Amino acid sequence: LYTGHVWCAAQGGEARGGICLMLDPEVVETLQRELKRRQKANKGYGGCLLRIDSLDSGANSGIKWEMATGWTCAVGKDVAELMTTETSFEIASCTKPFVAVLILQLVERGRIRSLDDPVGGYIPEVLVRTKAHSDCGQRTIAQLLSQRSGLHDFWECPTFCRAFKQQSTRFWSPEECLSYVLPSTPQFEAGKEYKYTDTNFVLCGLLIEALTQQPLHVSFRESIFAPLEMTHTYMSYREVPPPGPLAHRYEHDIDLHNNTRQSADWASGALVSSLSDLTVFIKALAEGKPFKSEVSLQHMTSWLPTHQSGIQYGLGLYYLEDCEMWGHDGWGNAFMYYWAPGQLTMVGTLNQTNNDWWCLAEAFLEALNSESETDNG
């Protein structure tokens, strides 16, 4: 599995800035080939990034491989630059684990008494302003973070979606989004089922703001980004971006970049990051570094079933049973996962909704398995 040192040189815009430390050349070749396939599947709309890294304290420490393909945006549509491994990108729902970390930190600090507390006890004024149904406030913080609240998703509300599509320059506040769905009776009894909804995490974002008395993006920066030295991560439409190129994210051929209406994502998916920063975060999370107590990570990784066989959900984290990977992915195929058996992390993006990042994970895991069988044979 692990050999010397391989450098993946630039090849006409295909593999740029890639470096591999101690990863078998055949595994590297597999990753390069599959990332190029994903790039081709984008049909010119969206550049791709991938990084494999190891825990600093793990048995396989010292592994690093990264690669960039394609362009920052569709050529001819805007000022396109070649993607590099330093290009920033929108991480969409990979934002959710960051929200969960802030909530668990507030529990550690005693600002939240229990994850089983009803959210309405902390943000009653939000429920009043959004004209929330009386049952909404009884949903617990744990039920929100584990996607088991039964609340409706504003992205599935036809009235919201119509307003969203018609107003590309509109800046959406969190409460404006919630006001489309919170007045409705919840879909099911709290805690009885799994239903993924961004509404849950927008409510958690407002809870964080109520308890910290500051904007959510400030809490991200003070409690996560600064301590972990994540210098290329920020909240879009709420903060000034740091210098450097930013990849565009696409729905087929529709460019989601620089559309103010995407401000609706907020706590459910508005962060922008980089390969290096996301790697720092998922590695730190795997080692419990954002927390004072190991109990906090245990809460986040307490898995419950979803409607999909082999996939479970904790607090802001997916767990893929068959391969023992946990993390999150997002709209546009951004992804951030930790593979526990090998103590390796896998982060990146395809910047295209009409694609599938899981093809990369499958190719990687199959290549590792093949190498292991060869070594043992």
Side-chain angles (χ1 to χ4, degrees):
L1 174 58
Y2 310 114
T3 61
H5 176 263
V6 180
W7 174 259
C8 307
Q11 295 291 335
E14 291 187 348
R16 288 174 298 282
I19 184 171
C20 173
L21 297 174
M22 299 179 68
L23 195 59
D24 190 278
E26 292 186 15
V27 177
V28 169
E29 184 179 351
T30 297
L31 289 169
Q32 289 177 312
R33 182 170 57 249
E34 188 56 42
L35 192 64
K36 291 175 184 178
R37 286 176 180 163
R38 295 303 98 211
Q39 180 64 60
K40 185 177 180 180
N42 281 354
K43 300 179 180 180
Y45 293 94
C48 301
L49 295 167
L50 174 61
R51 175 164 170 163
I52 307 295
D53 216 306
S54 58
L55 296 189
D56 297 334
S57 60
N60 298 323
S61 61
I63 297 171
K64 174 184 175 183
W65 181 86
E66 56 185 9
M67 177 176 166
T69 73
W71 301 80
T72 55
C73 66
V75 177
K77 301 292 185 178
D78 206 331
V79 181
E81 300 179 43
L82 288 172
M83 294 281 287
T84 75
T85 54
E86 296 181 353
T87 301
S88 296
F89 56 97
E90 297 171 338
I91 70 172
S93 284
C94 293
T95 300
K96 289 179 171 68
F98 289 84
V99 173
V101 166
L102 287 183
I103 293 289
L104 268 298
Q105 289 178 342
L106 288 170
V107 172
E108 290 183 339
R109 291 162 50 190
R111 302 299 303 278
I112 294 175
R113 294 179 295 276
S114 169
L115 291 172
D116 293 325
D117 284 350
V119 68
Y122 292 91
I123 49 173
E125 67 286 350
V126 170
L127 302 182
V128 171
R129 288 195 294 267
T130 56
K131 300 179 180 179
H133 187 278
S134 57
D135 286 349
C136 292
Q138 297 306 309
R139 270 46 188 174
T140 69
I141 299 167
Q143 289 164 351
L144 297 177
L145 291 175
S146 61
Q147 304 284 19
R148 304 179 79 82
S149 71
L151 300 180
H152 294 269
D153 191 352
F154 55 86
W155 291 111
E156 296 178 355
C157 172
T159 307
F160 169 79
C161 289
R162 186 162 50 249
F164 178 83
K165 292 177 181 179
Q166 291 173 349
Q167 304 173 66
S168 62
T169 60
R170 177 173 175 175
F171 184 91
W172 288 87
S173 74
E175 290 188 17
E176 286 176 325
C177 298
L178 295 179
S179 67
Y180 282 85
V181 291
L182 289 191
S184 301
T185 304
Q187 300 171 84
F188 52 81
E189 184 180 348
K192 295 298 184 182
E193 298 181 38
Y194 167 89
K195 178 64 169 69
Y196 188 96
T197 164
D198 282 0
T199 299
N200 290 330
F201 279 78
V202 171
L203 275 170
C204 285
L206 290 170
L207 168 60
I208 293 166
E209 289 197 335
L211 293 176
T212 61
Q213 291 296 294
Q214 63 184 10
L216 177 62
H217 60 268
V218 174
S219 291
F220 277 143
R221 189 154 304 283
E222 291 182 355
S223 299
I224 302 177
F225 304 161
L228 295 179
E229 299 182 353
M230 298 171 61
T231 57
H232 296 94
T233 305
Y234 63 96
M235 181 174 282
S236 57
Y237 309 106
R238 263 88 176 179
E239 293 184 281
V240 177
L246 171 64
H248 292 211
R249 181 171 53 126
Y250 291 87
E251 290 180 354
H252 300 273
D253 60 347
I254 300 173
D255 193 348
L256 303 182
H257 173 70
N258 204 29
N259 284 326
T260 310
R261 65 185 176 191
Q262 295 297 143
S263 54
D265 289 329
W266 195 54
S268 64
L271 290 183
V272 174
S273 193
S274 65
L275 287 179
S276 58
D277 273 12
L278 269 193
T279 297
V280 165
F281 176 74
I282 191 67
K283 286 169 63 174
L285 187 56
E287 296 177 317
K289 290 182 179 179
F291 304 122
K292 296 179 180 179
S293 169
E294 62 183 20
V295 173
S296 295
L297 183 58
Q298 291 172 5
H299 281 309
M300 287 189 71
T301 55
S302 295
W303 314 114
L304 293 170
T306 68
H307 296 311
Q308 293 177 272
S309 177
I311 300 179
Q312 300 184 43
Y313 204 84
L315 301 185
L317 292 172
Y318 281 112
Y319 177 64
L320 313 179
E321 295 178 34
D322 290 345
C323 56
E324 299 180 71
M325 292 177 69
W326 57 257
H328 220 288
D329 47 270
W331 190 244
N333 278 283
F335 52 92
M336 173 186 67
Y337 278 85
Y338 171 60
W339 182 49
Q343 296 183 307
L344 298 175
T345 60
M346 183 177 189
V347 305
T349 186
L350 305 182
N351 282 309
Q352 172 59 254
T353 61
N354 190 33
N355 209 326
D356 188 2
W357 74 272
W358 181 244
C359 296
L360 290 167
E362 282 187 320
F364 178 52
L365 295 172
E366 288 175 5
L368 290 181
N369 184 58
S370 177
E371 285 301 315
S372 178
E373 290 177 353
T374 300
D375 293 341
N376 294 330

